[in-house]
Amino acid sequence: MTPKTTLIAAALALTLSACGGNNPPATDTTVTPPATEPAPAEPAPPSTMPAPAATATMPAPAGTTAMPAATTPAGGEKPAAVVSDCATTIEGNDAIQYNVGSITVPATCAKFTITLKHVGKMPVAAMGHNVVISKAADVQGIAADGMKAGASAGYLPANDARVIAHTKMIGGGETTSVSFDTGKIKDGGPYEFFCSFAGHVATMKGTISVS
Ligand code: CO
């Protein structure tokens, strides 16, 4: 009795699991439970079968492309840059990320230097990084115009007054730096730093201020 019931249950499960396709409803004619057995009482209509769609929205685990982008605020949850001697060194990686979310420039510094170290391995053409400083309100416009300017222009519009300071665009293993007068970002903020490589501004962005 018990093995037979198991077989029937298995057959029923197979029948149910096959639903959702073009098969006509077959449960009424093919399965006849024994009289002493209580009815399975699991109609499980095809229309209510859960669709295995959850995986479609999961982010790619590989660190090469799709990062969760749109909802990332400037700076996000990343740590503040370590500043000493009116300078800081920050990193960019192959996952389209800086390692810091904010830079606080000491008010005692007349000039400030940002060094960018690309700790990834990908070439500049595929994973270029720079540091551009502008008013927060200008970030998206500069990034859009930089994309139009293209790779040969380092993804920056030429002689753009909105650009307060910027490094060159570098690839994996390279380092670059830029120095600027801190007076340029003392008033009229907020200011941000970001990467102007095509599409990177969504995840490579942070705040910079004088304090
Ligand atoms: Co970049």
Side-chain angles (χ1 to χ4, degrees):
M1 179 61 98
T2 303
K4 187 179 179 184
T5 305
T6 304
L7 283 174
I8 290 173
L12 180 59
L14 282 172
T15 303
L16 290 174
S17 68
C19 68
N22 298 328
N23 298 338
T27 52
D28 288 341
T29 57
T30 58
V31 177
T32 307
T36 60
E37 199 78 20
E42 283 182 309
S47 60
T48 60
M49 290 185 67
T55 55
T57 57
M58 291 186 65
T64 53
T65 48
M67 302 299 296
T71 59
T72 303
E77 302 297 320
K78 290 178 187 155
V82 176
V83 172
S84 65
D85 294 334
C86 297
T88 189
T89 296
I90 69 174
E91 297 175 356
N93 63 22
D94 281 345
I96 320 181
Q97 299 284 341
Y98 292 127
N99 67 329
V100 300
S102 61
I103 300 172
T104 300
V105 176
T108 52
C109 297
K111 279 183 170 290
F112 192 76
T113 299
I114 298 175
T115 297
L116 171 66
K117 183 177 181 183
H118 192 322
V119 296
K121 291 186 167 64
M122 296 175 69
V124 64
M127 186 57 67
H129 297 320
N130 64 1
V131 173
V132 181
I133 297 171
S134 74
K135 288 188 177 186
D138 290 333
V139 167
Q140 293 301 329
I142 295 169
D145 291 343
M147 203 179 312
K148 288 179 197 166
S152 62
Y155 293 102
L156 270 183
N159 302 317
D160 192 309
R162 297 170 297 178
V163 175
I164 294 166
H166 72 91
T167 71
K168 68 174 184 177
M169 190 73 70
I170 60 172
E174 296 183 300
T175 298
T176 186
S177 64
V178 62
S179 298
F180 56 94
D181 293 334
T182 57
K184 292 180 176 178
I185 60 169
K186 262 182 182 157
D187 304 311
Y191 295 92
E192 293 182 348
F193 65 96
F194 65 99
C195 175
S196 67
F197 191 93
H200 286 197
V201 68
T203 52
M204 298 188 77
K205 186 167 58 175
T207 61
I208 183 167
S209 58
V210 177
S211 179

